[in-house]
Amino acid sequence: MKAQIKPRIDLIGRTKLETVIPLKVPFIINVDPSDICNFQCKFCPTGDRMLMKKTPGRNHGIMDFELYKKIIDGISEFEKPIKVLRLYKDGEPFLNPRLAEMISYAKEKKCAERIDTTTNAILLNPQKNTDLIAAGLDRINISIEGINAQQYWEFSKCKIDFGKLVENVSHLYENKKQCEIIVKINGDILSEDDNKKFYETFGDIADGVYIEHIMACWPEFELKGVDVNQEYGIYGQKIREVQVCPYVFYSFSINSDGTVSTCFLDWARKLIIGDVKTDSVKNIWNSNKFLEYHKMFLMKQRKIHPICKNCGQMTHGLPDDIDEYAETLLGRLRK
C-alpha cells in the first residue's frame, strides 16, 4: 500500500496553543462554498432535508462569488497569511460550480499557506480534477460512506456508481501534482472485511487513508441509526472531556451567506458573532463578541452555555487540551 495511515487533520507537529494564545492571526478559517448537500447521511444535520427547511439561516445555497472575493480580500488584511483556508463547513463544496475559481482567487491573493477542502467525491470527474489541481488546491479530504453502492444507499440515501467513484479518485491521484489526497471512512458501521477492502481499494490511490470512529459532534443533533463509539474518539484516542474549547482560539467559520460562526460545528447558526457583508474579517476576529467566548471558556464556564455544554467534540474529537493553562491564558487576555 502506497498511502500512509493518517487522519484528515494534522496530529503530528501541532503548535502548542498555550505558547501562542492570544493569536493576532488565526490559524484556520473555514469558508463554506455551499451549505447544501447531495447526500443525506445519518450522522449529519445538513442531510436532514426537513430539519434544514425549518432551521433559520440554513438552505442558503452556494456562496456568491463577489461575497467570496470580499472575504478573501479581508483575510489578506491580516499581518501574515493564515495557515489554512478550509473551503468547507456544512455542505458539499462541489455543488458550487465556481469552486476552482475560489481556490485560484485565494491563491492569487496569497492569503493562506494552504488551501484544502472536504468532499463526498461523488461529483469528481476528470475535468473537475484537472481544474482543481490547476487552481492550486493543496489538500482534499475525501469522505467515503461505504465500500459498495448498497452501503451508500443505506447510509447516505444516494445512488452511486461505486466503481466510477473509485475511478475518479484514481484519476485525481494520478494527476495530483501538489495536491495531497486523504481518504477516510467511518469504520464503526463496517465489518472487518469491509475495512480491509477499504484499504485495498484506496491504499494505492491516496497519500493517506484512515478509518475513523463514530462521534456525535453536532450540537443539538441526534444521530439517526448509528451509535456513538463509547470506547474510542474519532481518531482512536482515549475519550476524555475538556472544559476549554481550543478551536475558538485559532479558528472560526464563515457561512455561505456571509454570517460568521465561532465554530465549524455551528450548523444551526446559534453561535453567530458577525457578518462579513457589513464588517471586516479582521474586525470580527478581534471583536469583543468573540473575546467574550474566549473568556467564557478560559473561566471554565462551558457547561452553562446552552449550545457548547454538550458538545461531543469536547470528548471525542480533540487534538488539543489547554485546560491546565486556562488561568494563565485568561491573564494574558486581560492585559
Side-chain angles (χ1 to χ4, degrees):
M1 184 172 73
K2 297 177 182 178
Q4 298 178 356
I5 306 296
K6 60 182 296 185
R8 52 185 153 146
I9 68 167
D10 300 319
L11 290 178
I12 299 174
R14 293 182 70 83
T15 300
K16 293 184 177 181
L17 294 176
E18 66 272 15
T19 67
V20 295
I21 295 172
L23 288 168
K24 290 184 177 180
V25 180
F27 286 166
I28 301 172
I29 299 179
N30 288 69
V31 177
D32 202 7
S34 165
D35 85 330
I36 53 177
C37 190
N38 47 3
F39 278 20
Q40 300 179 65
C41 297
K42 295 178 179 180
F43 64 83
C44 180
T46 300
D48 188 328
R49 305 280 167 81
M50 293 303 296
L51 177 64
M52 291 299 98
K53 287 180 180 179
K54 62 183 182 182
T55 302
R58 290 306 309 265
N59 273 354
H60 170 264
I62 65 172
M63 177 175 279
D64 177 77
F65 193 68
E66 292 303 312
L67 174 61
Y68 173 76
K69 290 198 294 183
K70 183 179 187 297
I71 292 167
I72 297 304
D73 292 347
I75 295 174
S76 300
E77 293 176 358
F78 283 111
E79 290 82 353
K80 62 180 181 179
I82 63 174
K83 289 184 180 295
V84 181
L85 173 65
R86 184 151 291 150
L87 296 179
Y88 167 74
K89 182 177 178 280
D90 293 309
E92 169 51 49
F94 281 88
L95 289 176
N96 190 319
R98 303 187 73 172
L99 181 62
E101 292 178 70
M102 296 172 81
I103 296 166
S104 292
Y105 189 79
K107 280 290 183 180
E108 290 170 9
K109 291 294 181 176
K110 299 180 180 179
C111 66
E113 295 176 12
R114 186 176 87 201
I115 300 176
D116 68 25
T117 191
T118 296
T119 176
N120 59 38
I122 198 65
L123 295 176
L124 287 183
N125 60 50
Q127 185 59 58
K128 280 190 171 69
N129 293 346
T130 301
D131 292 344
L132 278 179
I133 295 162
L137 184 65
D138 297 298
R139 177 185 289 181
I140 183 169
N141 299 308
I142 297 174
S143 297
I144 300 299
E145 310 301 347
I147 49 86
N148 56 55
Q150 181 60 33
Q151 289 179 353
Y152 263 81
W153 174 251
E154 292 172 355
F155 193 76
S156 301
K157 289 294 179 285
C158 184
K159 294 182 179 179
I160 72 160
D161 182 333
F162 187 73
K164 178 60 69 174
L165 183 150
V166 174
E167 183 180 313
N168 287 328
V169 173
S170 180
H171 176 274
L172 179 65
Y173 180 74
E174 290 169 2
N175 297 276
K176 68 187 186 73
K177 295 181 180 177
Q178 79 289 335
C179 186
E180 182 182 24
I181 301 169
I182 308 295
V183 181
K184 63 91 174 176
I185 197 169
N186 203 314
D188 291 340
I189 62 172
L190 303 176
S191 68
E192 285 300 317
D193 286 343
D194 288 339
N195 287 338
K196 182 180 179 181
K197 185 175 180 181
F198 166 74
Y199 284 132
E200 291 173 347
T201 302
F202 295 99
D204 287 331
I205 56 172
D207 299 295
V209 288
Y210 202 77
I211 297 177
E212 295 181 347
H213 293 291
I214 291 177
M215 61 176 286
C217 60
W218 307 101
E220 300 184 314
F221 178 75
E222 185 176 345
L223 302 188
K224 298 173 178 63
V226 290
D227 296 321
V228 175
N229 191 305
Q230 298 299 338
E231 187 175 358
Y232 299 107
I234 188 172
Y235 305 118
Q237 76 277 27
K238 290 182 179 180
I239 294 174
R240 71 187 193 284
E241 185 170 16
V242 303
Q243 297 306 311
V244 182
C245 172
Y247 294 101
V248 296
F249 295 95
Y250 66 85
S251 67
F252 63 97
S253 298
I254 303 175
N255 301 307
S256 64
D257 63 353
T259 56
V260 179
S261 295
T262 63
C263 178
F264 63 97
L265 298 172
D266 183 28
W267 66 271
R269 308 295 187 263
K270 293 183 177 180
L271 301 172
I272 301 296
I273 54 169
D275 191 326
V276 295
K277 294 190 295 293
T278 57
D279 202 353
S280 74
V281 175
K282 190 174 180 180
N283 282 347
I284 294 170
W285 171 249
N286 293 312
S287 67
N288 286 331
K289 203 166 186 179
F290 208 176
L291 179 62
E292 289 306 309
Y293 274 95
H294 292 173
K295 290 180 179 178
M296 182 264 292
F297 284 117
L298 292 176
M299 293 170 68
K300 298 188 176 179
Q301 295 177 346
R302 178 174 70 83
K303 285 296 187 177
I304 65 174
H305 191 279
I307 307 301
C308 302
K309 63 181 179 180
N310 294 320
C311 179
Q313 197 77 16
M314 298 299 100
T315 56
H316 285 65
L318 285 173
D320 306 294
D321 180 354
I322 55 174
D323 274 16
E324 66 177 293
Y325 307 101
E327 186 175 350
T328 299
L329 296 176
L330 183 61
R332 289 185 198 166
L333 293 186
R334 287 173 170 165
K335 289 182 179 180

